[in-house]
Amino acid sequence: MAEKAMNKNSSNIMALAPNTSNKRETVCIFGTGDFGRALGHKMIQAGYPIVFGSRSTQTSSLIPKDAEVLSHAEAAQKAAIIIIAIQRQHYNFLTPLAEVLHGKVLVDVSNNLKINQYPESNTEYLAHLVPGAKVVKAFNTVSAWALQSGTLDASRQVFVCGDDMEAKQMVMDIVRALGLTPLDKGSLLAAQEIENYPLQLFPMWKFPIILSFCLTAFFFFYCVIRDIIYPHVYENQDFSFFIAISIPNRICPILALILLALVYLPGIFAAILQLYRGTKYHRFPDWLDKWMLCRKQLGLVALAFACLHVLYTLVIPIRYFVRWRISSYIISQVLNNQTQPLDNTNAWISDSYLALGILGFFLFVLLGITSLPSVSNNVNWREFRFVQSKLGYLTLILCTAHTLFYGGKRFLSPSSYRWYLPNAYMLSLIVPCMVLVVKFVLIFPCLDKPLTRIRQGWERNPQHSAQSNYIINKSAV
């Protein structure tokens, strides 16, 4: 009976005792700078015991209160994972600690000041200094400010690389415990690419921004010649104030339409190349590859111009020039005792032009919303493709029709060609019309069916393709 009671009491004690298996292992952080302190504070919140390794073992109010500060050698002995939150130029102090660090997991979080600043990555340099350690690259894409403020939405992804799979897995477990998303980039050979990533200034935005700037400059001077210089020369009228509202309101929709068409043009080129080659296993030219990679950025820049066009359009009724022109027209009718009858044709064209613009802009905004990672991650591939492809082409059709209705009968009017220069909106129709016409041809069954088969893996001449791939691989070796 006593034995039974003892077993019962012991089982109760075990039930009340904390589950030590869920206790997190101690992590050491070398460095008490901004990033080291912020990362340590975040890890303490996640339940990790933290010990800092520092030159000075004196406690400071900046150090998290639940953390311990020891010398580098003492701190390293207390943990299997050591985060090196120190710049590369100060790595030399690790050499005397090589014996203590043997078999430990060293996590390099450093960045450089310039892209490819050193021949090898900081992580590879660290691995050479401490050859007995398991070195992993991680956390270099997360800022101290983001860790402190908790605003990690923009930098939730953490690139991880290393030669030891077990060490990488340990680091990725820490990344997940902090509420971040680890992305395995492979071996330490990827460390330099990871270190260069935070130093790149909008790499995918470079081409869209430069292209937008060039198109803006071209159409600005084009409109200045037609709408300001021409009236000044032939009619002695000063319309220089058009530079503030009128000309930007013409440039913005032009660029929005052209850039939207350029989002879908590389897909047209890719389809033509695949039909011509009869296979999908040949690489596209580099210029086409880069173009296709920045389609999202082109679309977002196009959406920005469309939004500016909407804002410029909303201020049209309060412009002094517009109010003056309307009042002058009304007074002229009164003085001449004339009333302009309603033209149903022009009313239909005007309302259709506005309706198409509203619908096109609505779908444009929808495309922009679905391109956000928080939205695109919650839809499957088929849904995403339907929105970006089917609705994307519908948006292009509506915006092109919007521009065509805006032109109305002015396409054939001689007054629209000043100095033999067509109106700027006519130029904006060239690229989208080409895209839509070629896309219409590609959906014919005689072209669509073989293209679908090619994209599913079918090849017109498999032997020729295999021979070409062999030649490419041999030349690469």
Side-chain angles (χ1 to χ4, degrees), residues 380-417:
N380 60 40
W381 170 245
R382 187 176 182 182
E383 293 168 342
F384 182 79
R385 187 171 179 271
F386 172 79
V387 172
Q388 293 296 325
S389 180
K390 302 295 191 295
L391 292 186
Y393 273 106
L394 179 59
T395 304
L396 183 60
I397 292 171
L398 290 173
C399 292
T400 305
H402 170 70
T403 308
L404 289 169
F405 273 89
Y406 169 78
K409 301 177 181 178
R410 284 179 288 179
F411 285 99
L412 303 177
S413 175
S415 61
S416 297
Y417 299 87

Side-chain angles (χ1 to χ4, degrees), residues 237-254:
Q237 292 182 327
D238 183 11
F239 289 141
S240 57
F241 58 89
F242 278 7
I243 292 176
I245 298 292
S246 298
I247 289 180
N249 198 29
R250 291 175 187 173
I251 294 174
C252 288
I254 289 172

Side-chain angles (χ1 to χ4, degrees), residues 280-297:
K280 70 172 185 178
Y281 298 109
H282 280 210
R283 285 195 55 148
F284 294 129
D286 288 340
W287 60 268
L288 185 56
D289 265 337
K290 294 177 181 178
W291 189 353
M292 295 183 75
L293 287 174
C294 66
R295 287 181 295 178
K296 173 183 174 180
Q297 288 74 16

